[in-house]
Amino acid sequence: MSLENNLQKAEKYLKKFQEKPVLNHINGQDMQASDGGVFEVISPIDLQPIATVAYGTKQDIDKAAIAAKEAFQEWAALSGVERKKILHKIADIIEARAEEISIIESVDTGQAIRFMAKAAIRGAENFRYFADMAPSARDGKSLYCSGQINITSRKPIGPIGIITPWNTPFMLSTWKIAPALAAGCTIVHKPAELSPLTARLLVEIAEEAGLPKGVWNLVNGMGEDTGRALTEHKAIKAIAFVGESKTGAMISKQGADTLKRCHYELGGKNPVIVFANSDLERAADAAIFMIYSLNGERCTSSSRLLIEEKIYGKFTDMVARKAKTIKVGHPLDPKTVIGPLIHPTHFDKVTSYFDIAKQEGATIALGGEPVQGMENNCSGNCSGTCYVPPTLFTNANNKMRIAQEEIFGPVLTAIPFKTEQDAINIANDVDYGLAAYLWTDNNQQALRVSDALEAGMIWVNSENLRHLPSPFGGMKYSGIGRDGGDWSFDFYMETKNIGFATKPHKIPQLGA
């Protein structure tokens, strides 16, 4: 694999998106927007257009929601074994088209191909995992008490609205869609407008695998109108959303009138806590991986580095030395680690924190200014590039904006702490509570600190290693609900309880 080969493959795979508009897909049919509206998708590599996409309207969402509602009874009635077969077939086709998916995703998002290749395979793994759970998804419990047996069961809740983000969109779409289908739900999917192309591939793959028409509907558009129409639609029983915390709050308001069930995976300002007794080399490698991989555009990135005071200088020097060797470049280059940020607007947001850091008195120990000389990646008259180097802020404290606000780029803020309790206080002193990382060789300390941290997921002496049966999600402004294993089905299904009397019991008589 080389950059040249990947560029040739990208030209081939993108051709179909460039020859005609990317249409919505409703009830098994490709459809233009009801008013003919479209929007343009640009690649962050060179800021040039790569596709024209149908801009879905309220009427399009209505068609999709009705199609999902009409398909629901038949899909929900299908046995779990039959759903399992279809979901495994989807996984087979994803694996067969993994190269195409990863290259298109890389061009669409700016993410390095080394990570997108793995993300495509993880998407197949998500479908396989939930496919195997489909036959038992409705299983419940038998609960005995005196004079009564209670039997619980689960039923799919109905049509689901799924709104996915622009970072690693393919994998995150499968993470939501696979359990919904396994549970017996139908869906209307609105992908992020900045990177919608692999969502189109995914729905094509699903119907090629035998998914019935109307079970999976795709409508593209912007959040403020297309997304809002989805969150407000009466036929949609629940919304699964991955994205910004402010958007999650807005969706709650929009869905309130129809009492929508909502599941949110939102932002994070996740700490990685490093005690002096830990393996510093491994801790540094893990901290670097979790902030600088995927361009730092990930909800679980370790964007705050909390270091025990007596090793602060040593450890920040170690991180800076290692991170300095990270290659920034064209995302289709196999050697690239950091590609361009998703869009000029996001690039402006991330780079604005360079001046904020200086104003707040932090030191820019690494990076801190846009990468120059990337114009060779431009295939046309692009006005600029979106490349940001690995950046490290030192001499920071937790009251600074660079420590409190989600930057969502390859930017790390290093903060010293004196004591264990000090580390806990700093870690918890943010609005977010998605993930945390803890490095210590003291098992008792690991248990104490992890128990005290306000985060939905904590990894001890490890970077983010996902185990699909385990719960994934956050607290505070980082989300509501959990994905993974049986926790996913708690959202996509309704639990029913049936109580059977096992002996006569006294029934109160009123008005006798």
Side-chain angles (χ1 to χ4, degrees), residues 1 30 160 187 191 223 383 388 454 472:
M1 185 192 299
D30 289 342
I160 305 289
I187 64 169
S383 58
V388 173
E454 296 172 354
F472 185 103

Side-chain angles (χ1 to χ4, degrees), residues 114-125:
R114 64 164 63 193
F115 301 119
M116 293 302 94
K118 295 176 182 178
I121 297 302
R122 273 193 61 186
E125 291 173 353

Side-chain angles (χ1 to χ4, degrees), residues 365-476:
L366 181 69
E369 59 183 26
V371 178
Q372 303 299 320
M374 301 305 293
E375 291 77 12
N376 290 336
N377 288 338
C378 293
S379 58
N381 296 318
C382 55
S383 58
T385 56
C386 296
Y387 292 82
V388 173
T391 295
L392 173 64
F393 299 143
T394 59
N395 298 319
N397 65 67
N398 206 53
K399 299 302 180 184
M400 295 177 175
R401 288 179 61 189
I402 57 174
Q404 289 290 318
E405 298 174 10
E406 186 179 38
I407 299 173
F408 218 62
V411 180
L412 178 60
T413 300
I415 303 168
F417 67 84
K418 294 180 179 179
T419 66
E420 180 181 301
Q421 188 59 50
D422 189 28
I424 293 168
N425 292 342
I426 294 171
N428 290 342
D429 186 24
V430 289
D431 289 334
Y432 301 99
L434 183 59
Y437 306 87
L438 171 61
W439 287 87
T440 175
D441 280 351
N442 184 320
N443 289 334
Q444 291 184 350
Q445 183 177 61
L447 289 168
R448 286 194 306 271
V449 175
S450 60
D451 186 58
L453 291 175
E454 296 172 354
M457 300 172 290
I458 299 164
W459 283 270
V460 179
N461 296 330
S462 169
E463 81 278 17
N464 177 345
L465 294 177
R466 284 293 297 122
H467 180 50
L468 290 178
S470 64
F472 185 103
M475 56 181 66
K476 299 196 287 189

Side-chain angles (χ1 to χ4, degrees), residues 98-141:
E99 179 185 80
E100 174 190 5
I101 293 165
S102 61
I103 287 178
I104 290 174
E105 185 112 307
S106 188
V107 173
D108 203 12
T109 65
Q111 296 283 1
I113 191 67
R114 64 164 63 193
F115 301 119
M116 293 302 94
K118 295 176 182 178
I121 297 302
R122 273 193 61 186
E125 291 173 353
N126 288 336
F127 268 97
R128 292 207 190 283
Y129 176 79
F130 287 107
D132 289 338
M133 292 192 72
S136 60
R138 299 182 187 181
D139 289 355
K141 298 179 179 180

Side-chain angles (χ1 to χ4, degrees), residues 53-215:
V53 181
Y55 193 143
T57 65
K58 184 176 181 179
Q59 289 72 28
D60 298 320
I61 287 292
D62 186 55
K63 290 178 184 177
I66 291 172
K69 182 179 179 180
E70 291 177 348
F72 173 67
Q73 293 300 330
E74 183 178 348
W75 178 246
L78 195 67
S79 72
V81 172
E82 291 303 312
R83 288 198 303 277
K84 174 181 176 178
K85 292 178 182 177
I86 294 173
L87 267 58
H88 268 296
K89 182 63 175 175
I90 293 173
D92 291 341
I93 302 174
I94 289 173
E95 289 180 348
R97 297 177 64 176
E99 179 185 80
E100 174 190 5
I101 293 165
S102 61
I103 287 178
I104 290 174
E105 185 112 307
S106 188
V107 173
D108 203 12
T109 65
Q111 296 283 1
I113 191 67
R114 64 164 63 193
F115 301 119
M116 293 302 94
K118 295 176 182 178
I121 297 302
R122 273 193 61 186
E125 291 173 353
N126 288 336
F127 268 97
R128 292 207 190 283
Y129 176 79
F130 287 107
D132 289 338
M133 292 192 72
S136 60
R138 299 182 187 181
D139 289 355
K141 298 179 179 180
S142 296
L143 304 171
Y144 289 80
C145 65
S146 178
Q148 189 180 67
I149 297 174
N150 291 278
I151 298 175
T152 70
S153 65
R154 294 189 295 200
K155 302 289 185 182
I157 191 172
I160 305 289
I162 294 179
I163 304 174
T164 49
W166 48 256
N167 61 320
T168 60
F170 185 86
M171 190 280 292
L172 289 171
S173 294
T174 66
W175 184 229
K176 294 292 185 183
I177 291 170
L181 296 178
C185 295
T186 54
I187 64 169
V188 178
H189 181 201
K190 194 209 85 67
E193 59 270 17
L194 294 181
S195 55
L197 299 188
T198 54
R200 174 65 202 196
L201 297 182
L202 194 48
V203 72
E204 289 176 3
I205 288 170
E207 293 196 352
E208 181 184 342
L211 195 72
K213 294 180 180 181
V215 172

Side-chain angles (χ1 to χ4, degrees), residues 163 231 239 241 246-256 262 264:
I163 304 174
T231 60
I239 295 289
F241 170 73
K246 289 181 180 178
T247 308
M250 193 179 301
I251 289 172
S252 288
K253 295 174 184 177
Q254 293 168 357
C262 294
Y264 298 138

